[in-house]
Structure formats: C-alpha cells, structure tokens
Amino acid sequence: MSDQNHAPTSRSKPPPPGEEEAGAVLRLGEFEDVDTLTLSEANLVLNALLAKRRKDRKDRNETDVLVKTLEYLDAFARFKQKENVEAVERLLSSHKELTKFERAHIGSLCCDSADECKTMIPSIADKISDEDLQELLDEMAKLMS
C-alpha cells in the first residue's frame, strides 16, 4: 500500500531527540528547566557519593565510565574546595536573567573576559551587560583553587 493513500496527519511530528542547540537561542527541548551542575558541582556530588559507597562497602559498581568521568571532572573542575563551589553557585544564582544552563556553563568555563564568555555562550549576549558579566567572572576568579 502506498503512502499516497493516507490522509494527512492533523499535527506536526515532534522534533527527533538530539535536536537541542545551545547557540544564540537556547533550544534544550526536554532539558529546558532541568537543574544543571557546573563541572565543579558534579565533581563534588560524585566524589561524595563514591566516598559514601566506599564507607558502606558498596563500591562494587565502580565502572570504567565512572572512573573516567571522575578523572575528567578532576582535571576540568575549576573549584576544588566545597566552600568555593558553594560561593560560585551563590554568585551565579544571583543572576536570574540567565538560565540554569547558562549559569552552569559560565561556572564551568571560567572565561577570562566578558567577550570570551559571550563568544563561548552566545545565548547570554543580550541578557547581561559586559560590565556585570566581567564583575561576575572576576569574583569567580578570586575563588579558583
């Protein structure tokens, strides 16, 4: 039977998964309002979970993927001390004009300048002034360990 014999559908087909885009306009699909962690926050969470598992002697599930993820986070997490991670989160959370996704990326990338940050995260270009962004980046830089 040919497709030409079927009646047209009344609604459009949803975009396939993976059509998300983090460009000048954020298109995060089902991840739009999901809480997002910086690399430093993810590092803290996974290390705390792993420490608890080891303490409870339930560390049998340390897969190669988990080990490699922890190595990645250890290498790229810019804030190592819990107090600094929390301070950065407070700084980022004070900027309600930015999405959770954008704040997490700012906290993970730790750019040197507002211009660099807006190049790396194009969706923030019209949401925050260069002066305010630079002030945020400078405050974060003071907390880097």
Side-chain angles (χ1 to χ4, degrees):
M1 186 173 216
S2 163
D3 285 337
Q4 295 172 345
N5 296 334
H6 294 284
T9 58
S10 60
R11 57 190 144 124
S12 61
K13 183 177 176 182
E19 292 288 321
E20 296 85 12
E21 180 182 338
V25 175
L26 288 179
R27 291 186 198 101
L28 302 178
E30 66 184 286
F31 303 104
E32 194 72 39
D33 293 317
V34 174
D35 284 334
T36 311
L37 299 176
T38 65
L39 295 177
S40 299
E41 290 171 316
N43 192 33
L44 278 181
V45 169
L46 284 180
N47 277 306
L49 176 66
L50 204 53
K52 183 174 179 353
R53 281 186 179 175
R54 288 178 180 154
K55 180 182 172 222
D56 296 343
R57 300 183 189 270
K58 295 180 182 177
D59 58 343
R60 296 180 297 269
N61 293 331
E62 288 185 31
T63 64
D64 191 42
V65 171
L66 177 61
V67 170
K68 290 195 181 303
T69 299
L70 288 168
E71 288 172 358
Y72 176 88
L73 291 172
D74 189 50
F76 293 104
R78 298 291 185 100
F79 307 96
K80 307 291 184 187
Q81 297 173 346
K82 183 179 181 186
E83 298 78 22
N84 292 356
V85 174
E86 291 169 348
V88 168
E89 172 56 24
R90 283 191 300 276
L91 282 170
L92 292 167
S93 292
S94 70
H95 289 275
K96 302 293 185 201
E97 69 273 23
L98 303 173
T99 67
K100 294 173 184 179
F101 177 86
E102 291 163 337
R103 292 190 302 251
H105 275 70
I106 291 169
S108 292
L109 293 171
C110 298
C111 298
D112 292 325
S113 70
D115 186 52
E116 177 187 13
C117 195
K118 287 183 175 186
T119 300
M120 298 294 288
I121 311 167
S123 61
I124 67 172
D126 296 328
K127 293 183 179 181
I128 186 170
S129 71
D130 286 353
E131 295 79 20
D132 288 344
L133 182 55
Q134 189 61 56
E135 183 180 323
L136 172 62
L137 296 173
D138 292 344
E139 288 298 315
M140 288 173 37
K142 292 176 188 174
L143 297 166
M144 265 192 235
S145 45

